[in-house]
Amino acid sequence: MKPKLSFAVAAFLYLVVACVAQAQDLPPNIKKIKEGIYVYVGNNFNSNCGIVITQEGVVLIDSGHSPTDSRVILDAVKKLTPLPIRFLIDTEPHPDHTTGHFVFSPPTTIIAHEGATLSMVNREKETPGRIEKLAGTSPAMGKALQGYRFVPPHVEYRDKMTLKVGERSFELLYQKGVHSEADTAVWLPAERVLFSASGIVVDQVNILRPFVTIPDILAASKMMKALNPEVVVPGHGQPGTVKIFDDTEKYYALLVERVGAMAKAGKSLEEIKKELKMPEYAHWASQERFPTNVEAAYKVVKSN
Ligand SMILES: [Zn+2]
């Protein structure tokens, strides 16, 4: 009996060591936020990717900033579970969330809000040679792009959709006018984890395209806060809490207030763009996007 017992002990110890080693093998970008829920946090505000493991397979939220990230994510998932990646939910159709689709699909089914495919097709038309250019940025990128195919979503939902995989439930919530043509927040009600997409970012000035409005962003913020999430994973930036939404609301309130005061003093939009300073947010990244924020705030002021 004795040798058998020590064999069992040895086998157990081996298993423990193997598990620890496996956990250590994960890339440093991977953060565990709950049991079976991980986030690959993009370097330097690159896009994030959620990895949610269920009893019936894996669900990804976004595919990584670029195909080099997608390949690291695929390897990490293989270390975490032998189960297949069944679904990939796009929080938006922009290339920094979707170029890596081909790394996962087939067999993965890709889901996005209505309008995502059209946005992706238009982007391909507007930027010919995009993939060749990306492949030329580094040998690693060239290698990661091998086998590239344009893979649009397989499923487009409207407004709201519930996806059930294994023991988990994913609520897909459309957000109008916050960042792209098809923004989706992904809410896991049982786990109270929210993937909040890119309408609201962290420690960074967001780009507000002409169809994006501050009232729409604030409405999305309110809707997401009302879910009462415990963990909020933005499309870009460090995962956090609902403080992300509070910070955003404060920023836009101050911006609209200052633009309003300058407009009232008779300044034109061009003058405001040149003169307005927000020293409280000077440490935020992507300051070159600030004029788009002023334009959106000016629209709010003029409509009041
Ligand atoms: Zn984007």
Side-chain angles (χ1 to χ4, degrees):
M1 279 309 281
K2 216 175 172 196
K4 244 188 197 168
L5 190 70
S6 54
F7 174 77
V9 170
F12 175 73
L13 282 176
Y14 173 79
L15 200 70
V16 168
V17 170
C19 285
V20 170
Q22 196 180 46
Q24 282 167 343
D25 262 1
L26 290 173
N29 298 52
I30 300 250
K31 276 194 177 176
K32 182 174 180 175
I33 55 169
K34 287 241 168 164
E35 205 46 55
I37 305 179
Y38 300 81
V39 178
Y40 175 88
V41 180
N43 290 328
N44 196 23
F45 298 104
N46 281 351
S47 71
N48 297 330
C49 166
I51 301 166
V52 184
I53 301 169
T54 81
Q55 291 160 357
E56 302 272 325
V58 178
V59 176
L60 292 185
I61 290 113
D62 287 325
S63 65
H65 192 83
S66 63
T68 44
D69 298 283
S70 308
R71 303 249 179 225
V72 173
I73 291 160
L74 180 61
D75 287 345
V77 171
K78 282 182 188 162
K79 282 176 189 160
L80 288 167
T81 174
L83 295 169
I85 301 171
R86 303 248 334 256
F87 298 98
L88 194 171
I89 303 166
D90 287 337
T91 64
E92 57 159 289
H94 292 157
D96 58 333
H97 296 252
T98 58
T99 304
H101 280 173
F102 76 99
V103 171
F104 304 102
S105 185
T108 304
T109 299
I110 299 163
I111 306 170
H113 191 265
E114 182 179 44
T117 300
L118 185 63
S119 167
M120 285 178 68
V121 167
N122 287 341
R123 179 72 61 133
E124 293 293 294
K125 274 189 217 152
E126 288 158 13
T127 47
R130 181 176 79 82
I131 295 303
E132 291 74 10
K133 250 180 244 164
L134 183 62
T137 55
S138 75
M141 191 65 77
K143 200 174 162 221
L145 272 165
Q146 274 173 21
Y148 173 81
R149 289 170 307 111
F150 176 71
V151 182
H154 303 96
V155 179
E156 289 198 354
Y157 76 98
R158 262 184 222 167
D159 295 325
K160 210 175 164 181
M161 162 176 180
T162 302
L163 176 71
K164 288 188 194 280
V165 188
E167 75 283 26
R168 298 203 203 259
S169 210
F170 302 77
E171 287 180 12
L172 283 59
L173 307 166
Y174 173 57
Q175 305 178 69
K176 174 182 90 67
V178 301
H179 176 74
S180 73
E181 296 82 356
D183 295 295
T184 293
V186 183
W187 170 231
L188 280 73
E191 298 81 354
R192 292 181 54 220
V193 174
L194 174 70
F195 293 87
S196 58
S198 300
I200 289 163
V201 288
V202 184
D203 297 330
Q204 187 183 24
V205 178
N206 212 344
I207 182 161
L208 306 190
R209 295 176 175 81
F211 58 83
V212 171
T213 78
I214 291 173
D216 280 337
I217 292 172
L218 296 177
S221 178
K222 194 176 165 195
M223 178 269 280
M224 291 194 284
K225 246 179 17 181
L227 298 170
N228 192 24
E230 187 185 322
V231 183
V232 178
V233 184
H236 298 257
Q238 290 296 325
T241 64
V242 286
K243 184 177 179 294
I244 290 171
F245 305 133
D246 294 335
D247 289 347
T248 287
E249 286 171 17
K250 245 188 248 168
Y251 166 74
Y252 286 118
L254 191 61
L255 175 69
V256 170
E257 186 191 308
R258 290 206 179 139
V259 170
M262 291 173 90
K264 216 175 159 191
K267 304 253 183 211
S268 71
L269 173 59
E270 282 316 306
E271 283 169 328
I272 298 171
K273 271 199 218 167
K274 252 186 237 152
E275 292 169 27
L276 177 59
K277 297 276 177 284
M278 298 273 280
E280 301 87 346
Y281 299 95
H283 63 286
W284 278 13
S286 311
Q287 291 289 329
E288 74 284 357
R289 298 166 167 180
F290 185 62
T292 68
N293 289 214
V294 175
E295 280 165 20
Y298 191 77
K299 273 186 214 161
V300 173
V301 166
K302 286 291 150 187
S303 69
N304 280 347

